[in-house]
Amino acid sequence: MTFGTWMKQRNVSTHLLMIVIGLIMIYPIIWWIGASLKTNAEMSLPGLFPSNPQWSNFVKGWTAIPSHSFTRFYTNTLIIELFSVAGSVLSASLVAFGFARISFRLSKLWFALLMLTMMIPSQVIIIPQYVMFFDLNWINTYLPIIVPNFFGGGAFFVFLLVQFIRSIPRELDESARIDGCSTFGIYWRIIMPLIKPALVTVAIYSFLWTWDDFFQQLLYINSVDKFTVGLALRLFMDSQSTVEWGQMLAMSLLSVVPSFIVFFLAQKQFIEGIATTGLKG
């Protein structure tokens, strides 16, 4: 056996192994799709897909919650997403610009303290946060979920953007100042366009984390008409004596579509932002 033949056989074996592992990893998704097309009676039967797919599960599931439809729940979720993503991108980039480009007293200490907040378990601050928002009369509103994103956007986002901004030559700032550009002008006109890949990364992370943040939504939102998609899925367990599993799985399948679309459309910028941040940081 020649070396070339051995390498070809090795490559085939590697690809076959990767295909097998890939199929194992996507098996739960295939089962999920099949189960969303089944009736309750077929759920315990063997086989991934039913002999008679119940496409009506998607139609009936959309209006399964009494007096409400998933149109309302998606609208509520997208409102939260719009403000959360905008707040994270704008505030995190502004804070990161301050740490990366502006010299002020104890800047390193404040940045270290900001990084330390990443190590605080979220369970520790749940009660203090709830008491604070209760005193502000923000319970059963979207403000506890949205407003924190406008105050830095999160330590992780600030850290990511700081590393990216530090890789940009300071000579650009100096040239802009000579041309009469203010500090905020440098941030808005020079830095923001150059960190677009990192901003897309922040936007995607913010979108996905907010979309999947079931606990905060459960904690602060009480009215059904203000429920998000995640909270609405829980109503399938509460609103019917017999759980329509096919309808619930159909709606849960639709609930991941927006995240998939966002990542698919922005994956190039996302990967570029992660790669360049890691290399230039």
Side-chain angles (χ1 to χ4, degrees), residues 166-177:
R166 284 176 176 171
S167 68
I168 299 174
R170 287 183 176 269
E171 287 77 7
L172 295 175
D173 301 20
E174 297 171 1
S175 299
R177 289 191 187 280

Side-chain angles (χ1 to χ4, degrees), residues 46-63:
L48 291 177
F49 295 94
S51 56
N52 184 24
Q54 300 296 313
W55 297 102
S56 61
N57 283 344
F58 290 89
V59 178
K60 294 178 180 179
W62 194 266
T63 56

Side-chain angles (χ1 to χ4, degrees), residues 24-40:
I24 293 174
M25 293 179 67
I26 67 172
Y27 172 80
I29 299 176
I30 298 174
W31 181 92
W32 186 7
I33 296 172
S36 69
L37 301 173
K38 293 181 178 180
T39 62
N40 280 4

Side-chain angles (χ1 to χ4, degrees), residues 84-117:
S84 296
V85 171
S88 296
V89 170
L90 291 174
S91 62
S93 61
L94 189 59
V95 173
F97 173 77
F99 279 119
R101 282 296 200 258
I102 300 176
S103 299
F104 57 93
R105 188 177 181 184
L106 302 178
S107 60
K108 293 184 179 179
L109 174 62
W110 290 117
F111 186 70
L113 291 175
L114 178 65
M115 292 299 99
L116 285 175
T117 61

Side-chain angles (χ1 to χ4, degrees), residues 67-89:
S67 304
H68 297 84
S69 75
F70 270 81
T71 303
R72 177 68 177 180
F73 303 135
Y74 271 92
T75 301
N76 294 340
T77 309
L78 291 175
I79 290 173
I80 295 174
E81 290 288 350
L82 176 63
F83 286 100
S84 296
V85 171
S88 296
V89 170

